């Protein structure tokens, strides 16, 4: 399983999904950059989530709040206090921090120095606003995007003329000074969250909690996650986030075991009542504080789960007709709408001008509609493999019959079946297959 992990990491780098940040300086602090394929895939994930929330459901509208907010927000939310801190020990000589469990004989595991008493280390990332670096100018990069939603709960309700229950969806960056970032893009210091906050009457909170949990599980099933690799875990009180009355983690079986990909939380009146108290701005609705049901998932963590789910090795390859038969083949069986590239266009032969000319025309035709690339190097078998390795669902090949019939062969990644489609119909064909339109 660990082996699969390193193979996915290597594929991500080799094919341009994910690069370590600041690589020429040796990388930086669990930060990662998303390459040409990574950014397409992230955009696809975000679009699917956004459509699911705002188009499929009634009464869920969008928001894009700022990353920087008044530090009082974080005071009220509980993130600056014990609620959002890891308990760690620090080595008195090298100053490195460790979980208490990792310490043997009271010595630092790295330099054998003396270990200090356990302390809580806050995960908020501090920064300064304006030219003077003092207490008054200190603020924080947001640790969860939903606080911006709470700040705008009343604005949104008013301008959209909403009544409870309703929801606000948001996608954006969040930052955490994670003490033990690890497992590639699973736990990072800078990441993106997709969060939906559902405001409702406390009496209906349990009902909506169940409803959104089921909705989220359906969404994962639609994305192609196998039932066996997905599970839910009700988080016991002593492990729950400080704001949660009830918490269910949706977990996926990564190559390193089952881990959380999404949290569904009943936050009760924690946020609106605390913000009312700290700001002295009352946010009650019809005499009560609405309860909040939250669904929260990280874009990169989901991307990693999708890659893990899709990564398939076929010993000896799937093709029986080409010279590359004996090699191992990698196929990313990604959901077609998640795949970063939708179409690859190949002339059967590189040195036949009629073929390359028509292939280029085909590429020009599909490119404005679907993320596509043109490839004329190597045998056709190799080109299919390069496409399969990044999950391209459709490969269009132009052969000698194409010249006569003005058509292309569409080869499906999943079935490897080939179908001849008139060039004049290709956009319609792909739209129908991808979006059913
Ligand atoms: N507003 C609720 C909240 O932030 P959370 O369980 O702390 O809840 C929600 O985070 C999701 O955000 C997680 O399930 C995970 O997908 C993602 N996430 C959290 N911390 C992360 C990190 N350090 N790196 C990548 N993703 C992270």
């Amino acid at each position: 399983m660990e082996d699969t992990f390193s193979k996915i990491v290597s594929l991500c780098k080799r094919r341009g999904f994910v690069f370590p940040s600041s690589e020429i300086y040796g990388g930086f602090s669990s930060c990662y950059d998303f390459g040409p394929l990574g950014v397409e895939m992230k955009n696809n994930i975000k679009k699917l989530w956004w459509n699911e929330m705002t188009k499929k459901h009634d009464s869920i509208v969008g928001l894009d709040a700022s990353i920087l907010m008044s530090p009082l927000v974080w005071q009220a939310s509980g993130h600056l206090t014990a609620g959002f801190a890891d308990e760690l020990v620090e080595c008195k000589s090298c100053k490195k921090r460790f979980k208490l469990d990792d310490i043997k004989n009271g010595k630092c595991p790295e330099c054998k120095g003396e270990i200090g008493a356990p302390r809580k280390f806050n995960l908020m990332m501090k920064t300064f606003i304006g030219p003077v670096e003092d207490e008054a100018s200190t603020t924080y990069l947001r640790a969860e995007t939903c606080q911006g939603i709470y700040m705008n709960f009343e604005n949104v309700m008013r301008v959209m003329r909403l009544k409870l229950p309703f929801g606000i969806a948001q996608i954006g960056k969040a930052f955490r000074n994670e003490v033990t970032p690890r497992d590639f893009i699973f736990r990072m210091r800078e990441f993106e969250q997709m969060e939906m906050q559902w405001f409702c009457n406390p009496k209906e909170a349990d009902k909506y909690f169940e409803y959104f949990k089921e909705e989220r599980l359906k969404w994962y099933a639609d994305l192609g996650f196998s039932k066996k690799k997905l599970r839910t875990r009700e988080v016991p009180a002593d492990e729950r986030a400080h704001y949660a009355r009830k918490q269910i983690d949706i977990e996926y079986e990564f190559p390193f075991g089952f881990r959380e990909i999404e949290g569904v939380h009943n936050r009760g009146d924690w946020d609106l009542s605390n913000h009312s108290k700290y700001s002295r701005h009352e946010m009650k609705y019809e005499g009560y504080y609405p309860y909040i049901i939250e669904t929260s998932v990280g874009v990169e963590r989901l991307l990693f789960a999708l890659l893990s789910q899709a990564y398939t090795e076929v010993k000896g390859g799937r093709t029986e007709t080409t010279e590359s038969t004996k090699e191992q083949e990698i196929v990313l069986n990604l959901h077609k709408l998640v795949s970063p590239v939708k179409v690859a266009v190949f002339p059967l032969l590189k040195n036949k001008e009629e073929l390359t000319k028509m292939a280029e025309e085909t590429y020009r035709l599909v490119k404005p509609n679907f993320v596509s690339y043109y490839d004329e190097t190597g045998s056709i078998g190799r080109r299919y493999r390069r496409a399969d390795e990044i999950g391209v669902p459709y490969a269009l090949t132009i052969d000698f019959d194409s010249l006569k019939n003005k058509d292309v062969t569409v080869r499906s990644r999943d079935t490897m079946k080939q179908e001849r489609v008139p060039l004049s119909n290709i956009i319609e064909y792909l739209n129908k297959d991808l979006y059913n339109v």
Side-chain angles (χ1 to χ4, degrees), residues 98 118 178 301 340 360 426:
F98 305 92
E178 297 281 1
R301 201 177 277 188
E360 277 189 38
I426 193 70

Side-chain angles (χ1 to χ4, degrees), residues 139 180 184 220 273 278:
T139 191
T180 47
F184 190 41
Y220 287 112
S273 68
Y278 275 74

Side-chain angles (χ1 to χ4, degrees), residues 170-185:
Q170 178 172 223
I171 301 176
K173 290 267 187 181
F175 302 82
R176 293 183 190 177
N177 211 351
E178 297 281 1
V179 185
T180 47
R182 61 163 68 118
D183 298 328
F184 190 41
I185 55 172

Side-chain angles (χ1 to χ4, degrees), residues 30 79 84 123 143-147 150 174-178 180-182 184-197 220 241 243 247-250 254 259-265 267 294-302:
S30 301
H79 284 81
F84 196 62
L123 303 184
E144 53 172 9
T145 57
C146 56
Q147 295 299 329
Y150 309 143
F175 302 82
R176 293 183 190 177
N177 211 351
E178 297 281 1
T180 47
R182 61 163 68 118
F184 190 41
I185 55 172
F186 178 83
R187 190 179 305 286
M188 300 188 293
R189 293 201 165 103
E190 173 183 340
F191 54 99
E192 267 187 286
Q193 287 188 314
M194 305 190 284
E195 299 201 304
M196 194 285 295
Q197 310 294 311
Y220 287 112
Y243 47 73
Q247 175 173 346
I248 282 189
D249 287 349
I250 300 177
F254 285 92
R259 297 282 191 287
E260 171 191 346
I261 48 172
E262 168 153 352
V264 182
H265 307 132
R267 298 178 70 121
E294 160 180 74
T295 71
S296 174
V297 49
V299 179
E300 298 84 355
R301 201 177 277 188
L302 176 53

Side-chain angles (χ1 to χ4, degrees), residues 91-123:
C91 168
K92 288 184 179 167
S93 350
C94 72
K95 306 285 178 218
K96 285 207 174 126
R97 290 167 186 175
F98 305 92
K99 294 213 159 124
L100 196 55
D101 297 351
D102 297 335
I103 303 299
K104 309 266 176 295
N105 320 319
K107 296 274 179 247
C108 169
E110 300 229 338
C111 77
K112 308 285 173 239
E114 198 189 328
I115 291 291
R119 267 174 48 202
K120 293 259 185 185
F121 286 94
N122 195 272
L123 303 184

